[in-house]
Amino acid sequence: MKKYRLTALIFIGLLFSLFWAFPVPAPADEDIPKKFFVAPPPFSEGIFPCSQCHKGMPVNRTPRKLEQMHQDIVLRHMPGGWCFDCHNPNNRDTLRLANGNVVQFEESYNLCGQCHGTVLRDWKMGIHGKRTGMWNGEKQYLLCVHCHWPHDPKFKSIKPLPPPIQPSDIR
Amino acid sequence: MASLIKNFFIAVRQIFIGNTKYYLWVGFLLFLILLGGSAYMSQAQRGLIITGMRDQVSWGFYISNFTFLVGVAAAAVLLVVPAYLYNFKPIKEIVLFGELLAITAISMCLLFVMIDMGQPLRGWHILPFIGAMNFPASLLAWDVLVLNGYLAINTCIAFYVLYRLSIGKEYKMSVIGPLIILSIPWAVSIHTVTAFLYNGLSARPFWNASILAPRFLASAFCSGPAIMLILFQIIRKVFKDVDIDDRAIFKIAELIAYAMAINLFLLGAETFEVFYSGTIHEYPMQYLYFGLHGKAKLVPYIWFATFLNVTAFLLFLLPKTRENYTTLNMACVFVIIGVYIEKGMGLVIPGFVPDPLGEIYEYGPTTPEVLVTIGVWATGALIYTLLLKFAIPIYTGKLRFVTKGQEGYRSPAP
Amino acid sequence: MTEKKAEKYIDRRTFLRGAALGLAATALPLDKADASFWEAFFQKYYREMNEEEKKKVIQRLEKEYAQKYKKEIKVGDEKALPGVLFGYGLDLSRCIGCRRCVYACVDENNQSKDPQIHWITVLRFKKGEKFLDLEESEKYYNPSQVPEPGYFYMPVQCQQCENPPCVKACPTQATWKEPDGIVVVDYNWCIGCRYCMAACPYGARRFNWTTPNRKPEEINPKTHYLGNRPRYKGVVEKCTFCIQRTRNGRYPACVEACPVGARKFGNLLDPDSEMRQLIEHKRVFRLKEDLNTNPKFYYFFAYGR
C-alpha cells in the first residue's frame, strides 16, 4: 500500500492543480464589466451616514417643502416628484427604486437607469460619461451623480478657457 | 582634357573683365544680394516667423516667386529649342540665350525653395538613396527630380554648344539631338509637375481643378518669352556684336499673343465654373476678386493684373502695336507684371483662403521677406549676367581656342 | 610683361579663392565643440535605423534635452502594440466648447507657449444655420460662459486618416502612418517644406515658425520620440493621439480632461471596446468624407442607436 501512497498524492495534487487551472466561471454579470471601479459617491462633507440624524426620527411621508433641514435643496428634476421617490424613508443610508427595492448609494446608477435606461446602457458601454484610466485595461467610471447633481441635474455653464491667439498677432 | 579645363578657366576670366558700366551693374547686384543675404541671416536665426506666413497660409511670397520662375524656365527653352529642329534661322541664333535664361531661372527656383524650408541644412533628406525620397507618391519629389534634370540638360546643351563654338566647330546634331528631343517634353513636364504639386491636393478646392496644369503652361508661355524679348533687346544693345534679328522678336511676340489668348480663355472658363455653380468652393476666388467677409487685401492687385494682361494681349495681337518697339516693350512689361501677380500671389494665397477650417488669414509679405526675394532675383540677374559674359565672346567668335592649321576650323563671319 | 600680368592674375585668383573658402568656412559650425551637431546632421532615417542606432539617437536627444531644460527628460520609443488600430469618438451632443481639452493637450504634449501652438481647434457653429459649414464657423469665440444658447461646438484635431494626404505629400517621408494607425512625424527628419500642411484637409498640422518656447518647469518629462518630445524650429508637429500614453495603455490627455465625457478612445480592432460599440451602434460621421481620407476620428450623437 505504501508504494501507492506517493501515486495517490501525486494524483490528488494533479486534481487540485486542474481545479485552479480551470476555475468555475462566475455567474454571468451582465451589469458592469469587471475591469473598473466606480469612484465613491460625492457626498457633501459630513452628511453621510444619514442615519446619524435620521435614526429614530419620525418619518413624515407628506410631500411638502422642507423647512428645518435640507431646505436649500430645490428639486428641479422629475416634476411632481419629491424626496421619497428616490430616498428610502425606512433607511436614509440607502436609496429605493420605483418597485420598492433598496439600492446602495454606490450603485445609484441603477436608480437613474429606471428612467434613463438608454443612458445607462451607453454608460455601461463606456460611451456616456467621462472615463479615465487604461483603454485596454482598468478604467475608472464615475457615478451619474458625479456630473449630474440629482436634485438639479442640468449642467451649469462654465467659463471657457481662452481662445487661441490670432495668427496676425503671433510675432 | 587639361587644355579643356585651362580653356574653361580662361573663358571664365571674361567675367572679371568689363567696362565701368559692367562693374557698376555687378556691384549693384552684389549690393542687393548682400541686402537679401543679411535679411536671410535673420530668418535663419529666428526662423520663418519673420515672414508673414502662418499656419493658415503656410506658403507665401517665396513659393509664389518659385511658381512664376518655373514657368519662365519652361518657356525659355520650349519656345526656342524647337528651332534646332525646324531651322527658323532668326530664332536658331538666340536659342543659347534662352537656354542660359532657363539655367538662371531654375537656379532661382532652387534658391527660392531652399530659403522657404524650415530646416534647409536637412535638404539632403530629399535625395533618393542617401535620403528617403518619397517617390513616386510625393509631387515634390518629382519636382526635385525634374527641375534638377532640366538644369542638367540645359547646362549640357548650352555648354556643349559653347564648347564646340569655342574650338571653331559646329555642334554635332548627333550629340545634342537626343538631348533636345528630351528637353521639349521635359520642359513641359517641369511645369506640369509644378502644377500637379498644387493640383493633387484634395484639401484645396481652388487648386484641385484640372484646369490648373493647362493654365500654368499658358501663362508660362506668356511670361517667359516676354522676359526673353526684353533681355534680347538689352543683349543687343549692350553686346554690340550680337545680332538678334527683328523677325525673331516679332515671331516670339506673336506666340505670346496666342498664349495669352489661351490664358484668358482658361481664366474665363475657371471663373464660369466657380461662380456659376456657386458652391462654397467659390470662396477662394471670391476672396481673390471681390473680397470675403470684408477681407480684400488681394483684390486691387488681381484686377490690376487682369487689366495688364488684357491690355498686353491686345497690344501683342495687333501687328501694328506688336511691331512697334515702344508698345511691344510696354506689352512685355505688362505681361510680366500681370502674370507675376496672377500666377504668383494670385494663385498661392487664395488656395489657403479660407483655410480648411474656414478661417481667413490675410497674408502679406513682410519687409525681410521682400528683401530676401530681391536678393534671390539679384542672384539670378547676376548669374545670367555672368553666363552672358562667359558665353558671348565665344558666341560672337571673339574668343576662340584653336591652333593654327586645326582641322575643321571655321573662322567666324566678319 | 606677360609674366607680370600672369602674376597679377594669379594673385587675384588666389585672393578670390581664399575669400570664397573663408566665407564658406564661416558658414560651417566648426565651433561646435560637441560632436552632437554632426551626429544630428547625419542622423539616419528613423525607419531605417536598427535598435542600437535608435538607442544611441535617443541617448543623444536625452542629453540635449537635459542640457537645455536642466531636468531629466525621458524619450521613449514604444512600438505599436500588435492587433491595435486606434480610433477616436467625439460626441457632438455633449461638447460644450470649454477648451479644457485644448489646454490639457498643450501641457501633456509640450506645445510651445510663445509662440502659441494648439493642436486642437474648437469650432463653434450656429444652430439652425448651415450645419457644419466650416466657412461660417468661429474659432475665436470668447463668451463668459459656455455652452452659449443657440450654438454647438466641434473640436477638430488630426484625424489620423487611414489614407492620409499628408503622408502622400511629404517629399522626405518624414511623416508616415504607424501600424497602430497613428500618423507620426520624425522631428529630426522633417525639412520644414510645409507641403503636408497644404495637403491636410483638416488644418491639423502646425509649424514651428520659430524656436518653440516652453518653460523647463512646464515640460512633461515623459515623452516619445514620435510624439511629445520637445520640438525644433522649422519642423511640423500635430496631434499623435498622445502616443506616449496610448502605447502604454492610457487614454489620451484630451479624453481624460473633457469634463462632460464627450471624448471616446479605444482600439477599433477589439470588438468589445467602446469604440467598436460606438461605431456599430451610434450614428457616426467623419469630416470631409468625400475626400476619401478615411479618418479614424468619428463624430457622433449620443442619443439613439
Side-chain angles (χ1 to χ4, degrees):
Chain A
M1 244 20 206
K2 241 193 194 156
K3 68 176 179 177
Y4 290 119
R5 198 190 291 178
L6 186 59
T7 322
L9 272 171
I10 294 172
F11 181 64
I12 291 168
L14 271 172
L15 270 178
F16 260 109
S17 59
L18 275 175
F19 172 67
W20 289 120
F22 300 104
V24 177
D29 189 351
E30 87 234 320
D31 279 358
I32 322 291
K34 291 197 191 309
K35 282 201 282 203
F36 72 96
F37 77 97
V38 185
F43 289 118
S44 327
E45 185 84 32
I47 203 98
F48 193 81
C50 312
S51 52
Q52 56 191 341
C53 289
H54 284 276
K55 195 172 180 174
M57 211 189 272
V59 180
N60 182 349
R61 291 171 202 268
T62 318
R64 65 196 182 283
K65 187 160 173 295
L66 299 175
E67 248 131 57
Q68 285 183 303
M69 187 70 185
H70 304 309
Q71 63 272 39
D72 49 326
I73 298 179
V74 180
L75 193 63
R76 284 199 190 94
H77 187 196
M78 271 189 348
W82 89 301
C83 317
F84 287 147
D85 289 329
C86 297
H87 288 276
N88 184 357
N90 302 320
N91 177 5
R92 300 305 161 80
D93 291 338
T94 56
L95 301 162
R96 55 165 292 226
L97 299 179
N99 62 0
N101 283 358
V102 166
V103 124
Q104 301 301 318
F105 273 100
E106 288 79 9
E107 289 168 19
S108 50
Y109 46 80
N110 282 321
L111 170 55
C112 311
Q114 291 178 107
C115 294
H116 304 284
T118 50
V119 180
L120 180 64
R121 177 198 65 206
D122 284 349
W123 180 83
K124 288 181 188 172
M125 275 202 282
I127 299 177
H128 182 103
K130 178 169 163 162
R131 303 207 294 175
T132 52
M134 316 281 279
W135 56 266
N136 63 353
E138 205 179 285
K139 302 180 198 349
Q140 289 86 45
Y141 280 67
L142 294 170
L143 288 173
C144 319
V145 301
H146 279 107
C147 297
H148 307 276
W149 193 49
H151 308 114
D152 187 357
K154 189 164 166 43
F155 255 80
K156 303 291 170 290
S157 49
I158 53 176
K159 186 168 156 54
L161 292 180
I165 298 179
Q166 300 254 5
S168 38
D169 293 330
I170 296 177
R171 293 265 170 270
Chain B
M1 195 61 198
S3 63
L4 176 66
I5 297 175
K6 193 181 88 185
N7 294 342
F8 177 71
F9 279 110
I10 294 174
V12 166
R13 222 184 279 156
Q14 303 295 314
I15 67 178
F16 297 108
I17 309 166
N19 57 14
T20 325
K21 270 201 277 186
Y22 173 70
Y23 287 127
L24 275 173
W25 170 244
V26 171
F28 172 65
L29 290 178
L30 284 171
F31 166 71
L32 288 179
I33 292 173
L34 264 154
L35 209 65
S38 73
Y40 182 69
M41 282 291 115
S42 76
Q43 183 184 292
Q45 206 224 349
R46 268 208 77 203
L48 284 156
I49 201 167
I50 65 160
T51 68
M53 296 185 275
R54 295 290 175 265
D55 289 335
Q56 287 77 0
V57 178
S58 48
W59 277 344
F61 202 46
Y62 296 151
I63 299 294
S64 309
N65 280 274
F66 163 81
T67 315
F68 175 72
L69 285 167
V70 178
V72 170
V77 163
L78 205 55
L79 197 64
V80 292
V81 157
Y84 280 122
L85 302 174
Y86 56 60
N87 261 325
F88 182 57
K89 192 166 184 301
I91 288 190
K92 206 170 166 187
E93 289 165 347
I94 55 177
V95 181
L96 182 67
F97 304 123
E99 272 161 7
L100 294 180
L101 178 65
I103 295 174
T104 309
I106 291 287
S107 311
M108 280 201 271
C109 289
L110 296 174
L111 271 174
F112 271 119
V113 166
M114 286 200 307
I115 61 170
D116 185 62
M117 287 206 282
Q119 290 266 359
L121 286 178
R122 294 185 189 171
W124 64 272
H125 292 176
I126 210 173
L127 298 171
F129 307 114
I130 316 174
M133 178 183 257
N134 189 7
F135 187 87
S138 169
L139 264 301
L140 263 186
W142 279 84
D143 222 13
V144 165
L145 291 174
V146 295
L147 285 181
N148 286 292
Y150 191 66
L151 182 62
I153 290 175
N154 278 299
T155 314
C156 287
I157 297 179
F159 281 85
Y160 173 76
V161 167
L162 283 171
Y163 163 68
R164 294 293 287 183
L165 278 174
S166 73
I167 57 172
K169 297 203 183 133
E170 271 279 312
Y171 55 80
K172 270 195 250 174
M173 206 50 193
S174 58
V175 175
I176 58 167
L179 278 177
I180 292 169
I181 305 282
L182 184 61
S183 72
I184 297 171
W186 201 287
V188 173
S189 83
I190 62 165
H191 217 26
T192 311
V193 167
T194 308
F196 282 173
L197 214 148
Y198 295 102
N199 206 350
L201 302 179
S202 60
R204 311 283 171 185
F206 183 64
W207 296 335
N208 195 216
S210 20
I211 209 170
L212 206 69
R215 265 203 88 184
F216 264 47
L217 282 162
S219 55
F221 265 94
C222 301
S223 52
I227 293 183
M228 281 200 290
L229 287 185
I230 301 211
L231 285 175
F232 293 162
Q233 292 174 68
I234 296 176
I235 293 173
R236 244 190 344 196
K237 219 168 178 180
V238 170
F239 299 95
K240 293 188 181 46
D241 41 2
V242 171
D243 179 38
I244 299 177
D245 203 323
D246 276 351
R247 284 180 295 157
I249 293 187
F250 297 145
K251 196 71 184 171
I252 293 176
E254 200 185 325
L255 292 170
I256 296 179
Y258 303 145
M260 183 50 88
I262 298 176
N263 190 28
L264 289 172
F265 173 71
L266 293 177
L267 169 65
E270 206 176 356
T271 316
F272 171 78
E273 184 253 321
V274 159
F275 287 122
Y276 184 81
S277 326
T279 67
I280 65 173
H281 292 324
E282 75 176 5
Y283 290 149
M285 205 151 215
Q286 202 185 323
Y287 170 70
L288 182 61
Y289 281 96
F290 305 109
L292 191 61
H293 297 313
K295 314 262 175 96
K297 205 170 194 167
L298 294 181
V299 173
Y301 292 98
I302 196 66
W303 282 108
F304 180 54
T306 313
F307 163 73
L308 288 181
N309 281 341
V310 172
T311 315
F313 167 63
L314 293 168
L315 290 174
F316 276 118
L317 189 68
L318 304 168
K320 212 158 141 210
T321 47
R322 183 170 70 228
E323 285 167 15
N324 172 335
Y325 274 103
T326 323
T327 46
L328 177 69
N329 288 329
M330 238 172 64
C332 284
V333 172
F334 283 4
V335 157
I336 294 169
I337 298 176
V339 174
Y340 180 72
I341 294 175
E342 188 188 47
K343 196 165 164 182
M345 294 273 282
L347 168 84
V348 174
I349 308 308
F352 291 102
V353 176
D355 87 335
L357 298 181
E359 186 178 350
I360 300 173
Y361 168 63
E362 291 233 82
Y363 164 82
T366 58
T367 313
E369 222 174 336
V370 173
L371 285 177
V372 176
T373 307
I374 290 176
V376 176
W377 276 92
T379 311
L382 185 64
I383 292 174
Y384 197 60
T385 309
L386 297 182
L387 281 173
L388 285 178
K389 204 78 176 59
F390 172 88
I392 283 178
I394 302 173
Y395 174 80
T396 53
K398 273 182 71 185
L399 181 64
R400 283 281 179 267
F401 303 106
V402 285
T403 53
K404 267 202 281 270
Q406 180 175 301
E407 204 191 328
Y409 170 70
R410 294 158 65 211
S411 65
Chain C
M1 189 62 183
T2 338
E3 273 185 50
K4 235 184 162 176
K5 238 185 169 175
E7 251 183 66
K8 224 172 134 194
Y9 276 134
I10 289 169
D11 270 329
R12 200 190 298 166
R13 217 187 288 164
T14 324
F15 170 76
L16 283 169
R17 221 183 279 144
L21 276 169
L23 264 164
T26 57
L28 287 171
L30 286 170
D31 61 327
K32 290 272 188 297
D34 51 335
S36 72
F37 173 80
W38 293 109
E39 275 175 43
F41 180 77
F42 287 113
Q43 186 179 317
K44 274 169 77 171
Y45 183 43
Y46 186 76
R47 286 198 281 181
E48 284 169 8
M49 284 195 252
N50 58 29
E51 287 307 311
E52 214 185 284
E53 290 169 322
K54 282 189 196 168
K55 262 204 202 52
K56 271 178 76 183
V57 165
I58 286 181
Q59 267 178 349
R60 189 195 86 228
L61 287 173
E62 287 182 343
K63 208 165 86 183
E64 278 174 16
Y65 292 142
Q67 257 182 337
K68 182 162 185 206
Y69 297 107
K70 311 278 186 291
K71 71 196 250 191
E72 196 201 352
I73 298 194
K74 288 235 121 261
V75 178
D77 73 336
E78 293 89 340
K79 307 282 174 290
L81 297 164
V84 170
L85 188 68
F86 289 122
Y88 207 104
L90 199 117
D91 190 347
L92 275 184
S93 63
R94 300 251 176 268
C95 178
I96 55 171
C98 68
R99 294 200 186 101
R100 272 140 182 82
C101 51
V102 176
Y103 290 92
C105 170
V106 166
D107 288 330
E108 168 68 29
N109 290 297
N110 292 324
Q111 281 157 49
S112 168
K113 284 266 177 82
D114 174 34
Q116 185 196 70
I117 293 184
H118 286 170
W119 285 354
I120 303 177
T121 306
V122 184
L123 298 174
R124 182 188 76 176
F125 298 91
K126 202 166 201 310
K127 285 185 192 166
E129 293 195 348
K130 281 197 264 190
F131 187 75
L132 284 191
D133 179 5
L134 296 173
E135 324 288 333
E136 301 289 323
S137 69
E138 174 60 60
K139 94 182 213 198
Y140 298 103
Y141 64 91
N142 192 14
S144 53
Q145 297 281 300
V146 283
E148 305 157 274
Y151 292 96
F152 66 94
Y153 304 87
M154 183 176 83
V156 180
Q157 62 212 65
C158 175
Q159 311 276 293
Q160 314 289 354
C161 308
E162 275 292 292
N163 181 19
C166 56
V167 169
K168 239 189 341 185
C170 178
T172 59
Q173 298 189 67
T175 189
W176 66 88
K177 191 179 64 166
E178 283 274 299
D180 55 358
I182 305 180
V183 178
V184 297
V185 179
D186 180 359
Y187 311 116
N188 283 79
W189 195 254
C190 173
I191 59 172
C193 71
R194 310 186 297 291
Y195 193 28
C196 59
M197 290 177 71
C200 176
Y202 307 102
R205 290 173 158 258
R206 307 278 175 265
F207 186 67
N208 284 289
W209 297 99
T210 184
T211 318
N213 204 334
R214 201 172 166 85
K215 297 205 199 81
E217 57 264 24
E218 290 174 345
I219 299 267
N220 172 9
K222 240 201 129 278
T223 69
H224 192 283
Y225 180 86
L226 296 169
N228 65 333
R229 66 183 170 103
R231 274 77 68 188
Y232 312 104
K233 168 182 71 156
V235 298
V236 166
E237 57 180 63
K238 65 177 191 66
C239 163
T240 55
F241 274 179
C242 277
I243 197 171
Q244 68 280 1
R245 295 173 70 126
T246 52
R247 283 195 176 169
N248 288 314
R250 299 173 65 194
Y251 279 122
C254 48
V255 172
E256 296 202 337
C258 178
V260 299
R263 286 169 169 269
K264 305 286 157 216
F265 183 83
N267 178 8
L268 291 169
L269 299 179
D270 172 11
D272 294 325
S273 68
E274 62 240 50
M275 276 313 300
R276 277 287 283 272
Q277 298 289 316
L278 201 149
I279 297 174
E280 284 170 19
H281 297 300
K282 296 297 173 195
R283 295 152 200 219
V284 295
F285 71 92
R286 296 170 295 180
L287 284 181
K288 306 199 189 187
E289 271 177 309
D290 52 313
L291 301 182
N292 265 346
T293 52
N294 208 355
K296 295 196 288 293
F297 201 97
Y298 295 88
Y299 293 91
F300 67 100
F301 304 93
Y303 293 107
R305 266 225 171 217

